[in-house]
Amino acid sequence: MGVVSYLSARDEINEVFDANFKQIALLLDRQKNVMVDAGAGISNKKKLKGEEDFLIQFWSPDLKLSYSTHPLIPFVAPDKQGFQTRNFNGEEWRSYATSRNGMTVQVSQPQSARDAMIVEITLKMLLPVLLQFPILGLLTWLAVKRSLGALVLISGSLQKRSATSLQPLPSESIPEEITPLVMALNDLLSRLEEAAKLQRQFTADAAHELRTPLAAVQLQLQLLSRTKNEDERQEAIENLTQGVHRSIRLVEQLLAFARLESEAQPAARIDALKVCREVVKLLTGPAIQKNIDLGISRQEPAFLFTIPGNMQAVMTNIIENSLLYTPANGQIDVAMYTEDGRAVFEVSDNGPGIPPHERSRIFDRFYRVPGNMVQGTGLGLAIVKSILDKDGADITVTTGINGKGARFKVVYPPSPA
Ligand code: ADP
């Protein structure tokens, strides 16, 4: 603002003074006889008195000074008509000259006289602006203090909290500007609270479940120490091995669960039919052992979007269950196809099946259908379910082959091309 004010004041003032010069010169040119005769306004000063004082000179046709308002200032004769800026005594001088009948009038003034006025006008224009700075500053300070005050309060109350206190922050009487922040924080806190609750529940369940197989291992060790002959010893060792094996499987599944909750891998487009064939091939060995007819009854190209490895885990868990629960000489049919742009994976068996009222509960952690004689942890389908939830896929259980057994059907969301 200062620069702009200065530049425009300078332009205006130069214009006004130049116009003044011209007017004075033209007026005097017409009336010079009167002025000279009267000897009016002669000054004995060596300098002009400021912006309102002018040096007026009359020059004869042979450029001899015939009259000057300030004879002690020996300013030079004009070398052309009109406006000029020249150096005189180390200073810039502005002058205007006009002639009539050979007589020349020259009106002059040092530029510094004008400059002083330009600076003065600039300062006067800037003053109101400068005066509003402290007022603006005060208002800004008050506004910022009010908004930050609430933030300081909030951060203070957050600092005092322990890592486990996840209650929402008070949202009343906070400035509008930070309401979205407080809302977002409260949302995060409530999700953290939910996650912490699940974690606690999981740890408790896991500890509870681990106790049973470990207690069994302890019991079998005692039995082993009391065996009387080689046969009993062999049997006890066999039982102990199975007990240890069960504990290891449980720990492995717990680990798989923990990893599922914490790992964030990038998802990719997966060739589902290829994965399906690989999984079935890997499980052919156990199927042959039980003389179960395991095969893919329907195989069509299907693609889906998920984290690599997730689909294997889902398929392996479901087919392994069928292998476990279907008695020897049974049948397991796997199907992989696309329906309405969605990849579908199905496993049907002719085992004992799952009673309709149990079908929703088998996906709960550690839940096993009562009366189940097969060794297990109840974690397999819970792992399957949480993977599918993340993928946005659906899983349903119905009746399997020929009105017997169980059928698990997984429907994935449409895969991006
Ligand atoms: P686990 O097999 O270790 O018990 P899961 O979570 O894999 O745990 O399965 C939960 C329950 O669902 C099992 O205990 C079993 O009762 C039932 N189930 C799962 N798959 C089948 C199946 N193919 N046929 C019959 N019952 C099954």
Side-chain angles (χ1 to χ4, degrees), residues 70-377:
H70 299 72
L72 296 181
I73 303 176
F75 190 59
V76 285
D79 43 26
K80 63 174 190 167
Q81 299 275 311
F83 289 109
Q84 268 186 298
T85 307
R86 281 168 297 174
N87 235 341
F88 169 65
N89 273 351
E91 253 192 306
E92 291 250 289
W93 278 65
R94 184 85 175 145
S95 63
Y96 181 81
T98 183
S99 312
R100 205 201 295 174
N101 304 330
M103 204 61 170
T104 306
V105 183
Q106 177 172 251
V107 184
S108 325
Q109 190 179 43
Q111 181 67 38
S112 61
R114 296 181 179 193
D115 288 346
M117 192 171 178
I118 294 168
V119 169
E120 199 184 312
I121 290 185
T122 307
L123 286 180
K124 278 187 182 156
M125 287 205 296
L126 276 182
L127 193 66
V129 180
L130 293 176
L131 278 181
Q132 77 187 18
F133 271 124
I135 300 166
L136 264 182
L138 184 74
L139 288 176
T140 313
W141 181 74
L142 283 174
V144 171
K145 191 178 137 92
R146 200 180 92 86
S147 302
L148 284 187
L151 275 183
V152 168
L153 262 176
I154 288 172
S155 49
S157 92
L158 279 177
Q159 249 163 12
K160 271 187 245 132
R161 290 186 173 202
S162 73
T164 48
S165 62
L166 299 170
Q167 305 92 329
L169 295 163
S171 53
E172 318 88 50
S173 69
I174 49 170
E176 214 176 304
E177 296 81 4
I178 61 168
T179 311
L181 175 71
V182 172
M183 296 304 212
L185 264 177
N186 280 345
D187 185 46
L188 175 68
L189 283 172
S190 81
R191 276 181 287 145
L192 274 175
E193 170 81 40
E194 189 56 31
K197 216 168 80 191
L198 280 177
Q199 196 88 40
R200 281 195 298 274
Q201 182 64 43
F202 181 67
T203 315
D205 288 351
H208 181 76
E209 289 303 312
L210 263 175
R211 261 182 58 161
T212 320
L214 288 179
V217 166
Q218 194 183 31
L219 190 74
Q220 280 147 4
L221 260 179
Q222 283 168 3
L223 288 176
L224 178 66
S225 66
R226 282 194 225 124
T227 49
K228 297 200 187 69
N229 54 46
E230 187 57 19
D231 281 353
E232 274 181 25
R233 213 173 75 88
Q234 277 305 326
E235 198 190 328
I237 288 179
E238 175 65 21
N239 285 338
L240 185 57
T241 312
Q242 273 181 22
V244 170
H245 184 75
R246 258 201 316 283
S247 309
I248 291 174
R249 188 171 142 77
L250 176 59
V251 171
E252 273 171 3
Q253 284 189 315
L254 286 173
L255 275 177
F257 227 125
R259 234 177 277 131
L260 246 187
E261 314 264 278
S262 64
E263 266 174 33
Q265 277 178 294
R269 190 166 182 264
I270 308 265
D271 181 345
L273 183 59
K274 192 171 149 221
V275 176
C276 177
R277 283 183 181 141
E278 283 165 8
V279 170
V280 170
K281 199 169 156 200
L282 274 177
L283 295 175
T284 310
I288 289 172
Q289 273 183 4
K290 266 179 101 175
N291 194 30
I292 286 178
D293 173 15
L294 168 66
I296 311 183
S297 57
R298 183 176 173 189
Q299 32 186 323
E300 292 163 17
F303 292 89
L304 53 94
F305 202 71
T306 181
I307 293 160
N310 271 5
M311 208 202 155
Q312 253 114 321
V314 168
M315 292 181 172
T316 310
N317 262 300
I318 296 176
I319 301 177
E320 264 181 353
N321 270 351
S322 284
L323 280 171
L324 267 177
Y325 294 103
T326 305
N329 311 316
Q331 183 184 345
I332 301 172
D333 289 344
V334 176
M336 187 80 235
Y337 54 94
T338 304
E339 197 174 67
D340 301 333
R342 297 157 185 268
V344 180
F345 169 68
E346 260 181 38
V347 179
S348 321
D349 62 39
N350 61 356
I354 301 160
H357 62 276
E358 298 283 356
R359 285 178 187 165
S360 59
R361 304 189 61 187
I362 53 171
F363 298 104
D364 292 348
R365 283 167 176 176
F366 303 113
Y367 186 78
R368 313 197 65 225
V369 174
N372 188 342
M373 298 304 284
V374 178
Q375 302 277 11
T377 59

